[in-house]
Amino acid sequence: MKGTFAVAAFAAVAAAAPTTTHLKMVRQAMPAITDADILNYALTLEHLEDTFYQEGLKNFTESDFAAAGFDSTFYSNLKEVSSDETTHVSFLTAALKKAGATPVAACTYSFGVTDVKSFVMTSSILEGVGVSAYLGAAADIMSAAYLTAAGSILTVESRHSSYIRASLSESPFPSPFDVPLSLNEVYTLASPFIVSCPSSNPTLPLKAFPMLLSDPKNGNITVGKEITLLTPGSVVTAADGSSQIYGAFITVTGPVFAPATAVDGGFTLTVPEAPEGTAPISGQTYVVLTGCNTTVTDDTVAAGPAVFEVGPL
């Protein structure tokens, strides 16, 4: 299943050395975000997607896709998706240069892809994260021209996501709302794929939170199911050693909280049902660990987000 593979992909590149994360710790203030920072943030993601598709289409032939159950039409459309990502890279690079800013160059990546099926599954996850990235960044863009341009990329990423989800026999539109993610939440999901970046790249005001993964043993996940979230490479505890820890499921209408119970290697919690009149928890879903049950900010996130699929009951 898609969600199970996502866990395996992220786990394969998880940090090995454990650290301790206190939920109520005071985080260092981040510098103000500029439009150039946001464009470079978007370019960082587009470089990742562009390289992902170029490597995948180089490593796997049309015959390989056919053997995995994907016809020639899908293969042709996937090449078009790849071309779109290359165009996005060119556009953002040109926009940054025109604005007098230095665009980031592509990094070196490791995607953990071993066959066509894992390539398409990872593609679906990355496209979904791309939608959430542009949606979450929109509120921080000051320039109307940049906002319109970002919006035009967002809609294309959304079509990519829907098409690839459908190819995996998943609902192309599992929710009436998409999920916005903060810059740091997205960077947390992207950073495990990044091996190294050119030293000449400008430093961006981004940070990765400790990793949070859905346990592959969770299987198919639905609302009301108890699941396990793993914290590889870190030990998450409450600052006072006793306060309640929560899983915060991120939605456009606000987070939905579920009490989390510490277990060996992570936490268990039950996937909550969203309150009536709010965005449902369905489709590609994101959850973070926090010691706060009223809001989610970069100051309250202790780990995550974890990404997994929540299917229909």
Side-chain angles (χ1 to χ4, degrees):
M1 297 300 293
K2 170 185 167 186
T4 300
F5 176 77
V7 171
F10 288 132
V13 288
T19 58
T20 299
T21 301
H22 294 295
L23 285 161
K24 295 185 178 178
M25 66 184 293
V26 177
R27 299 186 182 276
Q28 182 178 357
M30 300 296 289
I33 301 291
T34 67
D35 278 359
D37 291 330
I38 295 174
L39 290 184
N40 256 326
Y41 155 80
L43 181 56
T44 297
L45 302 177
E46 295 292 352
H47 273 311
L48 188 152
E49 288 185 303
D50 183 34
T51 303
F52 171 78
Y53 285 111
Q54 290 195 42
E55 287 186 0
L57 292 171
K58 178 181 178 181
N59 293 335
F60 306 115
T61 66
E62 184 173 353
S63 295
D64 293 330
F65 277 86
F70 299 98
D71 62 19
S72 59
T73 299
F74 177 80
Y75 181 76
S76 177
N77 285 337
L78 206 60
K79 290 195 292 184
E80 185 65 32
V81 171
S82 177
S83 177
D84 287 347
E85 304 302 354
T86 300
T87 300
H88 293 165
V89 167
S90 298
F91 169 78
L92 291 168
T93 299
L96 281 157
K97 289 180 177 179
K98 185 176 181 180
T102 301
V104 295
C107 299
T108 301
Y109 310 96
S110 178
F111 296 107
V113 168
T114 57
D115 53 26
V116 169
K117 192 72 172 180
S118 62
F119 173 75
V120 178
M121 288 176 172
T122 303
S123 167
S124 181
I125 295 166
L126 291 178
E127 293 293 348
V129 171
V131 171
S132 292
Y134 278 100
L135 185 60
D140 294 322
I141 298 176
M142 301 299 293
S143 165
Y146 289 160
L147 180 60
T148 299
S152 70
I153 295 176
L154 164 61
T155 56
V156 172
E157 298 287 357
S158 183
R159 285 195 287 276
H160 291 172
S161 176
S162 293
Y163 179 74
I164 295 170
R165 285 181 60 88
S167 76
L168 292 169
S169 300
E170 294 177 341
S171 171
F173 27 77
S175 173
F177 302 95
D178 283 318
V179 179
L181 293 177
S182 74
L183 275 65
N184 290 327
E185 288 166 347
V186 171
Y187 185 67
T188 300
L189 294 171
S191 60
F193 297 114
I194 301 173
V195 176
S196 63
C197 295
S199 59
S200 57
N201 274 4
T203 300
L204 300 181
L206 301 173
K207 60 182 178 182
F209 299 121
M211 184 173 289
L212 185 65
L213 304 173
S214 173
D215 190 334
K217 296 178 183 178
N218 288 330
N220 295 334
I221 299 175
T222 60
V223 169
K225 181 175 181 176
E226 183 178 82
I227 62 172
T228 299
L229 300 177
L230 307 176
T231 55
S234 64
V235 178
V236 178
T237 62
D240 61 5
S242 61
S243 293
Q244 178 65 57
I245 296 170
Y246 300 91
F249 289 74
I250 301 169
T251 79
V252 72
T253 51
V256 182
F257 298 92
T261 301
V263 295
D264 186 30
F267 294 83
T268 60
L269 53 78
T270 298
V271 179
E273 183 174 4
E276 185 176 356
T278 64
I281 297 171
S282 61
Q284 188 156 307
T285 298
Y286 309 93
V287 60
V288 298
L289 291 181
T290 176
C292 175
N293 66 348
T294 57
T295 188
V296 172
T297 70
D298 286 349
D299 292 329
T300 64
V301 172
V307 55
F308 49 86
E309 185 77 9
V310 174
L313 293 172

